[in-house]
Amino acid sequence: MQRRPLVLAAALAACLPLAGAYAQEFPPKRPVTMVVGFAAGGSADIAARIIAKKLGENIGQSVVVDNKPGAGGNLAHAQVAHGATDGSVLLFGSIGPLSISPHFMKVSYDPLKDLAPITMGVTFPNVLVVPASKGIKTLGEFVAAAKREPGKLDFASTGPGSAAHLAGELLNDIAKIDTVHIPYKGGAPALQDVLGGRVSSFYAAPPTALPHIESGKLIPLATTGLTRPAYLPNVPTVAESYPGFNATNWYAFVAPGKTPKPLLDRWNIELVKVLNAPDVRANLLKHGQTAAPTSREELAKFISTENEKWSRIIRERKITAD
């Protein structure tokens, strides 16, 4: 009789390390990778590198940014959705693959089931820019030019289903114009073609556009959020001319859906700490992005709401991937 409690106690003691294994294996033994679904040099890449540097310093382990461009970020999201679940892989997910693309093109993942929310990362409006050589100075002039020659003006985006793509399609619909969508694998290559005059316009993320706006090479016509951002106070919003227009961009941290909850919770703690750091917030804002950390539950609710919003708009506007 005395031996049974001893046996049970031994069994419990043996199980305790297993129950806390995931919590103890932090940071993960494998190198930590932060996957970005766009090319190096774009807005997602810039923000990810700022955050990854501070995160690595905090956890005492390097965090490597891995750029996986393609299909508007969908390739990276599909890869991570079915990737390693030991906490070594983080995805700097974006609005397109998480809330837009699945509603009008075939993808191999369910953003609400195959990717686990960790925290919102950053938010920002895009800014509609044209090369200075176009001679267009205002949104009104852009719309007028598009109406004079339907189908001649085009706009670049970071891929099918991206916030930039939807912003262009929404302006087409609300302003009754016909501009042509030109998708790219990221903000950097899109920007190069706009600067070179090979594309008429670009719904650019502020980090990639601001230096060229300041140099005068790009003319900002309007921003896509509901309010004017502090770093472009003299640039009107599209909504000022077309009430109701809103295409705010965001990047959020997610992980493979089967990643254990203790690891997801720990990553939330570490990433929120980084996003609340004054130096990180200032650096992100310098590049036109606002740190917006959340709880895991808040992010899950937000992504669900965004899915409902964009699926309705895509259906009503009859938007396709073509």
Side-chain angles (χ1 to χ4, degrees):
M1 293 294 294
Q2 291 180 343
R3 292 175 61 188
R4 183 174 294 176
L6 291 175
V7 172
L8 289 173
L12 272 172
C15 289
L16 284 174
L18 292 176
Y22 288 119
Q24 291 172 9
E25 292 179 3
F26 191 93
K29 293 178 181 178
R30 293 172 57 183
V32 177
T33 301
M34 186 180 292
V35 179
V36 176
F38 302 99
S43 60
D45 178 69
I46 290 171
R49 292 181 187 278
I50 291 172
I51 296 166
K53 183 177 183 296
K54 186 72 168 184
L55 182 62
E57 292 172 358
N58 285 359
I59 66 174
Q61 181 173 325
S62 63
V63 178
V64 180
V65 174
D66 185 12
N67 299 92
K68 297 282 185 182
N74 290 303
L75 293 181
H77 286 65
Q79 176 183 311
V80 172
H82 306 296
T85 60
D86 62 353
S88 64
V89 178
L90 302 173
L91 172 64
F92 200 41
S94 58
I95 178 177
L98 289 176
S99 297
I100 299 173
S101 301
H103 302 295
F104 72 95
M105 63 190 298
K106 186 176 181 180
V107 296
S108 62
Y109 62 94
D110 183 334
L112 301 180
K113 295 179 180 178
D114 298 328
L115 291 164
I118 299 176
T119 177
M120 177 61 75
V122 298
T123 62
F124 56 94
N126 282 328
V127 54
L128 174 58
V129 295
V130 295
S133 58
K134 274 287 177 187
I136 295 174
K137 303 292 185 182
T138 67
L139 178 62
E141 292 178 4
F142 180 83
V143 170
K147 287 185 174 181
R148 281 196 305 271
E149 299 182 277
K152 183 173 181 180
L153 289 181
D154 47 25
F155 69 94
S157 84
T158 50
S162 63
H165 177 195
L166 267 292
E169 297 290 358
L170 285 178
L171 185 61
N172 276 346
D173 184 82
I174 201 168
K176 308 304 178 188
I177 58 177
D178 178 21
T179 58
V180 180
H181 176 224
I182 309 295
Y184 286 80
K185 290 186 176 181
L191 184 67
Q192 290 306 309
D193 274 3
V194 176
L195 288 168
R198 292 178 287 277
V199 182
S200 303
S201 62
F202 180 26
Y203 290 85
T208 57
L210 285 173
H212 305 287
I213 291 172
E214 292 168 356
S215 72
K217 293 179 180 178
L218 292 177
I219 304 299
L221 304 182
T223 56
T224 63
L226 291 176
T227 59
R228 298 186 183 191
Y231 43 82
L232 288 172
N234 298 320
V235 179
T237 65
V238 177
E240 290 175 39
S241 298
Y242 301 97
F245 186 100
N246 181 23
T248 301
N249 212 333
W250 50 268
Y251 294 115
F253 285 100
V254 296
K258 294 182 180 180
T259 302
K261 184 178 182 297
L263 285 175
L264 296 172
D265 291 341
R266 182 61 186 272
W267 275 127
N268 173 268
I269 292 171
E270 295 298 337
L271 284 164
V272 168
K273 187 189 303 181
V274 169
L275 291 165
N276 279 327
D279 57 334
V280 170
R281 296 180 73 89
N283 202 359
L284 288 169
L285 194 59
K286 184 175 70 175
H287 291 284
Q289 304 191 60
T290 301
T294 63
S295 68
R296 293 189 57 231
E297 293 74 21
E298 287 169 336
L299 177 58
K301 183 177 180 180
F302 176 81
I303 292 176
S304 178
T305 300
E306 285 283 276
N307 270 268
E308 292 174 6
K309 167 188 172 182
W310 289 113
S311 64
R312 177 181 58 79
I313 290 174
I314 288 166
R315 183 174 63 254
E316 292 178 356
R317 311 293 186 190
K318 298 183 170 69
I319 297 171
T320 69
D322 299 330

